[in-house]
Amino acid sequence: MIPAIWRVLLALLALLSIVLGMACSGASDPAGPGTGGSAGDAGARPAPPDDAGASNLGDEAGSDAGTGDAATAEGGSSPDAGPRPANIVLDAGGAVTSIVVTPEPLTPAFSSTIDDYYVRCSPGTNAITLTVGTASGSSTVALDVVEDQAVVVMDQYWIRCLPHDFPTITVTPYPDAGAPTPGWYLLNSGVYAVALDTNGTPVWYTRGTSVIDVDALTPNTISFMPDGTTPFGYGSTEFAIHGLAGGAVAVVTAVGSSTDDHELRLLPNGDYLLLTYPFQSGVDLTGLQDFGAGETIPDCEIQEVDPTGRLVWSWRALDHIDPVLESIEPDTNTILGQSVVDVYHCNAIDVDSSGNLLLSARHTNAVFYIDRTSGDVVWKLGGSAYSKDGASYVRIVGDPETSFSLQHDARFLPNGDISLFDDHGAGAGVARGVEYALDHDEDVASVVWQFLGIAASAAEGSCRRYADGETVIGWGYNTADARVVTEVNAAGDDVLDIAFTPNTASYRAVKVPPSQLDVSLLRSSVAQ
């Protein structure tokens, strides 16, 4: 049985929580950090009678008001949800040797070398029992927690109450091949932008309407488009860059046209590159499938905008890429009630040390190297041999998959090679991450590395080759494959797979080093 003094302390704590909750609910403005939520939302409650042996854990429960983890975010996914209560801090009285949570299990299983965990929660109040072991014994406390809240044990072990609508995470390590290198995986799933650690734990997440394209362009910021709900960004769309330290959000949009959700790149001068799709009417597509004269296309425009939103430079595909002779997989869309023919579908931009650009255009099955000064296409890899600009055509030779198609995420590599994610959606074969070596003297390209998936991907996907020898692949939208992350080591062996269920594709899987995002800032800015 719990000693009488602890029962008294717990009762006082509960009473204090009720008083604070009533005071907060009657105020017109938030009273300050840690005051959000009702008394039933957070805090310790008396352990049941059969918890004999519970020691001093329960009386140490309290709000983490001193961490700056202010209760300003909305819990759950409903826009009407209340503020997220502050964290619950527990002192186990010694070095922790075990943590057990019921009724929902602790994920991953406790290890003294792992600091971040989660339990899956339901809407409203979740009653959990936490048992913490130390060298001197174990202590048990019963807690009420709500979605997004964290229980922090000994200021080291963080247990997040994961929202009910967060996808189920399945982590498959391959220890015989080694472990993934340290870092953060940046992903999207439905309404969530997510940062996972290499155990598959969501150390950070926040919500939007339909999130896409999560990245960390500068230290301790996370960028994404929170509302990518319509093709080519038509509607209310913008990129949001969230500062983890102060909560500031910078907004980046295209100028004069919609902001497309496929790409946001930061240039060394502080400007941004992004894509937009101004409609161009009266385009003659005679000769391209069964299209004709007078068609409307969403042109592919690259824009450089400065931090104030001023347009610095732009480039349009229609001036340099023939919409009939270079489009191979055109599609049609109805946008704002208008039928348009998507002949290009640009989806990735990269920049080399000279400032020239690499552009991926999915519906041409090709990537284009663009001279920044002249705007001319210098060479073209894949797709049709024709070039409106008279660019060199780099033929793919000896490819075991013949070529790539409907690709994403084309990137320059330091050795001059090109990596990309081959969705392989236009022919027999499977999706893959692939690297091509280019011989510009002979105008040929050959595969020097690839990692195959299990089926072709319908859309999206990424492949990033990193300096530490690791490669991270995001499989995009693939009905046969729920994986959102595969990490491959330098030997070409799969070391880790992470899948989301239901199969909610992540547009990309980007990995950044631990130093790019401070773990304390990630934890303190969850759901904000």
Side-chain angles (χ1 to χ4, degrees):
M1 297 294 291
I2 299 175
I5 188 171
W6 302 134
R7 291 199 300 271
V8 171
L9 287 172
L10 289 173
L12 289 173
L13 176 63
L15 179 60
L16 179 61
S17 298
I18 292 170
V19 172
L20 289 175
M22 293 174 63
C24 293
S25 64
S28 58
D29 294 310
T35 61
S38 67
D41 287 338
R45 63 183 203 283
D50 59 353
D51 281 338
S55 88
N56 66 343
L57 190 64
D59 67 299
E60 299 291 344
S63 66
D64 189 16
T67 65
D69 190 13
T72 58
E74 293 182 343
S77 294
S78 168
D80 299 322
R84 187 194 78 214
N87 300 328
I88 301 170
V89 180
L90 303 176
D91 186 346
V96 175
T97 58
S98 66
I99 299 177
V100 176
V101 179
T102 59
E104 293 295 327
L106 185 72
T107 306
F110 179 77
S111 167
S112 60
T113 62
I114 297 175
D115 292 343
D116 290 279
Y117 303 86
Y118 66 90
V119 294
R120 296 200 67 89
C121 288
S122 301
T125 300
N126 295 260
I128 66 171
T129 299
L130 189 75
T131 301
V132 179
T134 66
S136 59
S138 64
S139 302
T140 298
V141 63
L143 300 171
D144 289 335
V145 295
V146 297
E147 294 176 319
D148 304 333
Q149 195 172 21
V151 178
V152 186
V153 181
M154 296 296 291
D155 289 328
Q156 178 177 357
Y157 302 111
W158 286 66
I159 305 168
R160 186 69 61 181
C161 181
L162 205 61
H164 70 282
D165 59 349
F166 205 93
T168 299
I169 305 166
T170 303
V171 180
T172 307
Y174 301 94
D176 290 345
T181 56
W184 308 109
Y185 301 115
L186 303 179
L187 309 162
N188 63 271
S189 178
V191 300
Y192 291 101
V194 183
L196 301 182
D197 66 15
T198 52
N199 297 304
T201 300
V203 178
W204 175 92
Y205 57 85
T206 195
R207 297 174 178 84
T209 303
S210 180
V211 173
I212 191 170
D213 197 11
V214 186
D215 208 337
L217 303 178
T218 58
N220 295 324
T221 68
I222 296 181
S223 65
F224 57 93
M225 180 170 281
D227 52 356
T229 56
T230 56
F232 314 114
Y234 279 88
S236 177
T237 56
E238 61 190 23
F239 279 101
I241 304 174
H242 289 244
L244 300 181
V249 179
V251 171
V252 182
T253 62
V255 177
S257 184
S258 64
T259 305
D260 181 64
D261 55 21
H262 283 96
E263 189 71 277
L264 180 67
R265 304 291 291 175
L266 178 65
L267 296 174
N269 65 359
D271 291 352
Y272 298 96
L273 286 177
L274 43 66
L275 291 163
T276 182
Y277 284 90
F279 286 179
Q280 182 69 46
S281 59
V283 179
D284 188 355
L285 297 182
T286 303
L288 178 64
Q289 296 182 359
D290 57 355
F291 302 109
E295 302 282 6
T296 297
I297 70 167
D299 197 1
C300 162
E301 181 177 346
I302 305 171
Q303 290 189 355
E304 178 184 342
V305 297
D306 70 14
T308 70
R310 181 178 64 91
L311 180 64
V312 176
W313 176 86
S314 65
W315 179 97
R316 291 183 68 158
L318 192 57
D319 297 330
H320 301 277
I321 302 173
D322 192 285
V324 174
L325 299 179
E326 297 188 71
S327 181
I328 296 176
E329 308 288 346
D331 196 8
T332 57
N333 295 96
T334 300
I335 302 174
L336 303 179
Q338 184 173 10
S339 178
V340 298
V341 184
D342 184 8
V343 295
Y344 300 126
H345 201 98
C346 299
N347 58 24
I349 315 165
D350 203 7
V351 184
D352 67 10
S353 59
S354 63
N356 295 333
L357 283 69
L358 186 69
L359 174 69
S360 168
R362 167 182 165 89
H363 289 172
T364 69
N365 292 346
V367 298
F368 302 83
Y369 183 65
I370 300 166
D371 182 279
R372 164 65 186 256
T373 302
S374 67
D376 292 337
V377 176
V378 179
W379 53 258
K380 172 183 176 181
L381 172 66
S384 69
Y386 179 81
S387 169
K388 181 175 182 177
D389 275 0
S392 299
Y393 179 64
V394 181
R395 292 183 302 111
I396 297 173
V397 297
D399 188 337
E401 293 270 289
T402 305
S403 186
F404 59 85
S405 62
L406 300 176
Q407 76 288 338
H408 286 77
D409 204 37
R411 302 292 162 196
F412 292 114
L413 296 179
N415 62 1
D417 292 356
I418 301 296
S419 67
L420 56 84
F421 180 74
D422 176 13
D423 292 69
H424 218 78
V430 299
R432 59 180 174 163
V434 62
E435 176 182 341
Y436 289 97
L438 278 60
D439 181 344
H440 290 292
D441 291 331
E442 300 294 331
D443 283 335
V444 296
S446 56
V447 173
V448 294
W449 180 92
Q450 66 173 1
F451 188 87
L452 299 177
I454 62 174
S457 293
E460 308 183 332
S462 60
C463 175
R464 300 291 174 97
R465 305 268 279 156
Y466 294 105
D468 61 7
E470 302 288 289
T471 301
V472 172
I473 300 171
W475 297 102
Y477 180 65
N478 191 316
T479 56
D481 193 346
R483 290 177 298 174
V484 291
V485 172
T486 291
E487 181 157 342
V488 182
N489 64 19
D493 299 319
D494 189 349
V495 297
L496 181 69
D497 289 325
I498 301 175
F500 283 170
T501 308
N503 188 350
T504 53
S506 181
Y507 171 58
R508 287 174 176 163
V510 175
K511 189 176 184 183
V512 298
S515 59
Q516 186 77 350
L517 298 170
D518 180 83
V519 65
S520 63
L521 294 177
L522 289 171
R523 292 166 177 158
S524 66
S525 58
V526 163
Q528 296 190 17

